[in-house]
Amino acid sequence: MPGLLRGVARTAVVAGTATAVSNRVSRRQAGRWAQQEDQQQASQQAAAPPAAPPPPPGDDMTAKMDQLKQLGDLKAQGVLTEEEFAAQKAKILGS
């Protein structure tokens, strides 16, 4: 019986330590992510929205597709808002 009790106690200590370490890591990561988000928001507010790149020489349809793809990437990265994306898309498709 003492061996069983010792094993249970050891398991409880290991589980408690693992939980404490896991919680500490989670809090540290959450803090880092929040700091990164704050930095990204500050840089986005300071920077002017990028203009659509000029069309490369060649096939007009291919150039428009490339521009739309770049705009989609910028929107996915959070650089462009939905309104800016829609305005640039209309500008590309309208020309």
Side-chain angles (χ1 to χ4, degrees):
M1 192 72 162
L4 178 62
L5 186 58
R6 190 175 329 159
V8 170
R10 182 177 295 158
T11 301
V13 169
V14 169
T17 302
T19 301
V21 169
S22 174
N23 288 340
R24 181 173 179 234
V25 169
S26 295
R27 283 191 303 270
R28 190 178 339 157
Q29 285 178 341
R32 286 181 183 169
W33 292 337
Q35 185 180 20
Q36 287 177 351
E37 287 177 2
D38 291 342
Q39 290 173 349
Q40 287 176 350
Q41 288 176 354
S43 66
Q44 287 175 0
Q45 290 173 354
D59 185 20
D60 190 40
M61 182 57 91
T62 304
K64 287 182 180 182
M65 292 299 291
D66 289 341
Q67 287 178 335
L68 289 173
K69 190 177 204 180
Q70 289 175 347
L71 282 175
D73 291 342
L74 290 173
K75 182 177 174 256
Q77 294 171 0
V79 175
L80 293 176
T81 64
E82 184 67 39
E83 293 80 21
E84 293 169 332
F85 174 77
Q88 292 296 329
K89 179 180 166 185
K91 186 177 180 181
I92 291 170
L93 294 177
S95 58

